[in-house]
Amino acid sequence: MTTATTPEPGQAGDEAAPSAPRLEQFEEGITLDRFITETANAHPENKGKFSALLRQVSLASRLVSARVNRAGLLGMFGGTGEVNVQGEYVQKLDEYANTAFKRALDHAGCVCAIASEEDEEPYYVPERFHSGRYVFAMDPLDGSSNIDVNATIGTIFAVFRRKSPEGTPADIDDILRPGTEIVAAGYTIYGSGTMMVLSTGEGVHGFTLDPAVGEFFLSHPDIRLQPSAKLYSVNEGYAASWTPAMRGWIEGIKMPGAGWAQRYIGSLVADFHRNLLKGGIFLYPATKKNPEGKLRLLYEAFPLAFLAEQAGGAATDGRRRVLDLQPDQLHTRTPLIIGNKDNVDEVTRLLSAEGGP
Ligand code: AHM
Ligand code: MG
């Protein structure tokens, strides 16, 4: 096992060191379960419900991981024939992941509502189960267009503490909250390995699934983003519809000698994960045609913005800090500029000066 990561174009080799896996952590064998227990011990006011929630997220992630790994053999590639509220074709694995997370969470007594990219309306925990203290918002399987080619996809989630009293029916005001009220966020990435990256507001930690024993082990403690990097992730196919400031910044970093490299997978969760570990800025900007961008605020931008800030990075919509935004609907969209802080600040300054599309 190695403790070093491979330097990439646009990145000094030693910049990756803080987030590189540490051998001693593998040897100590800190499981996600132990991490959850220790987090709970530090916050007895959560009454065990927060731990229950995280354990159910771990369970659902393992279920989805197993299904993703065997999808090509189980006839799980391709679409269901349905179109979701976003107007996108629902993939069989989208549907499986959506159901797996809802079933894992709805009867555990820890959540009152689940907001999902795949569902037009929120799912309120039924009367027969306890309507718990937390709200769970998720994109059950981000990067759906990559499912059928075995490229990396993932589940993205955010957790809020509900506003209305526990044990009563929740409503939409429990869900439509600014990102500053997030109490935990993370994602599980299904790639060449399965990894959960999690923050409960005390740094960002990565856990790798050992499929042989079905347990996540701490592999990337205290992931940190350096102030800047020279790697960008954006769909340049849309350059003609960008604003002049956005086009200008990209042209600038491509000048001879600028030393930038580009990576774009087309799964937000995979692009973000790569940039979190290696350094980089991800951009899905506003365009004249789509001033709101494409990505969804509540369950895509919010959780990743929370993680970015916890790791020392930043996230804006081109003008404002993402976590300060308030969704007015379940599926509100937002432009997203996210990654190393100095890079995000620079792009945000340029886009703000332009005054929007
Ligand atoms: P999805 O949630 O339906 O998978 O859509 C969101 C995805 C993101 O993962 C990714 O960053 C983006 O769409 C890619 O969009 P584009 O193909 O326009 O570059
Ligand atoms: Mg998505």
Side-chain angles (χ1 to χ4, degrees):
M1 192 177 296
T2 173
T3 56
T5 54
T6 311
E8 290 281 335
Q11 174 209 22
D14 58 358
E15 283 184 359
S19 61
R22 295 181 202 155
L23 184 58
E24 64 270 23
Q25 299 289 353
F26 283 106
E27 288 174 345
E28 279 181 26
I30 297 176
T31 62
L32 176 60
D33 206 63
R34 175 174 154 192
F35 175 86
I36 292 170
T37 301
E38 288 175 2
T39 302
N41 290 345
H43 297 279
E45 71 280 7
N46 290 337
K47 300 181 183 145
K49 297 300 186 187
F50 191 60
S51 315
L53 187 158
L54 294 179
R55 288 198 173 92
Q56 294 306 100
V57 171
S58 163
L59 170 64
S61 297
R62 284 176 281 141
L63 287 167
V64 174
S65 175
R67 189 59 68 109
V68 166
N69 286 340
R70 288 179 292 146
L73 303 170
L74 298 176
M76 290 291 287
F77 284 156
T80 61
E82 286 169 22
V83 175
N84 71 11
V85 60
Q86 325 279 340
E88 298 157 352
Y89 287 103
V90 178
Q91 303 297 303
K92 290 177 190 168
L93 276 176
D94 281 328
E95 193 172 78
Y96 178 84
N98 194 33
T99 305
F101 273 87
K102 284 196 290 190
R103 284 208 184 130
L105 285 164
D106 75 350
H107 63 278
C110 50
V111 301
C112 58
I114 300 171
S116 168
E117 181 189 309
E118 295 303 326
D119 296 328
E120 189 165 357
E121 300 294 335
Y123 173 80
Y124 293 109
V125 170
E127 295 272 311
R128 65 183 186 282
F129 303 132
H130 179 67
S131 183
R133 311 182 78 190
Y134 296 99
V135 170
F136 191 78
M138 65 170 170
D139 179 352
L141 211 52
D142 178 60
S144 304
S145 65
N146 279 320
I147 290 174
D148 290 358
V149 295
N150 282 323
T152 300
I153 50 184
T155 303
I156 311 174
F157 60 90
V159 181
F160 297 86
R161 193 171 288 121
R162 70 183 292 178
K163 286 187 353 191
S164 57
E166 188 177 351
T168 64
D171 63 36
I172 193 72
D173 291 337
D174 288 308
I175 300 170
L176 300 182
R177 316 266 293 277
T180 46
E181 295 180 10
I182 287 175
V183 294
Y187 57 83
T188 306
I189 195 159
Y190 315 106
S192 54
T194 293
M195 201 173 150
M196 185 188 295
V197 174
L198 178 67
S199 177
T200 57
E202 290 160 352
V204 180
H205 308 287
F207 300 83
T208 299
L209 179 67
D210 182 342
V213 295
E215 177 60 281
F216 285 99
F217 289 89
L218 182 62
S219 53
H220 295 65
D222 199 17
I223 298 168
R224 300 291 302 166
L225 274 164
Q226 299 296 311
S228 66
K230 287 196 167 188
L231 191 137
Y232 71 106
S233 306
V234 71
N235 188 337
E236 284 199 78
Y238 304 141
S241 60
W242 291 343
T243 63
M246 177 68 201
R247 272 203 304 276
W249 183 74
I250 294 282
E251 287 311 314
I253 63 173
K254 293 198 297 189
M255 294 299 277
W260 282 70
Q262 193 239 32
R263 297 284 183 279
Y264 190 74
I265 299 165
S267 289
L268 168 66
V269 67
D271 282 307
F272 178 81
H273 180 67
R274 190 185 181 295
N275 293 351
L276 183 65
L277 295 191
K278 302 248 182 188
I281 180 171
F282 174 95
L283 311 100
Y284 207 111
T287 61
K288 289 195 175 67
K289 190 172 155 220
N290 292 314
E292 301 305 321
K294 173 184 181 184
L295 301 171
R296 276 55 54 117
L297 180 58
L298 187 61
Y299 43 78
E300 291 181 321
F302 269 172
L304 300 187
F306 184 80
L307 292 168
E309 288 199 4
Q310 283 290 318
T316 73
D317 69 350
R319 283 175 288 167
R320 300 162 296 179
R321 179 188 179 214
V322 165
L323 291 180
D324 285 335
L325 301 177
Q326 161 79 44
D328 53 7
Q329 293 171 27
L330 209 54
H331 303 289
T332 294
R333 295 175 192 264
T334 181
L336 181 62
I337 317 292
I338 189 167
N340 300 73
K341 187 165 185 338
D342 290 354
N343 303 125
V344 171
D345 287 350
E346 184 188 351
V347 175
T348 303
R349 264 197 311 276
L350 290 169
L351 295 182
S352 300
E354 186 179 45

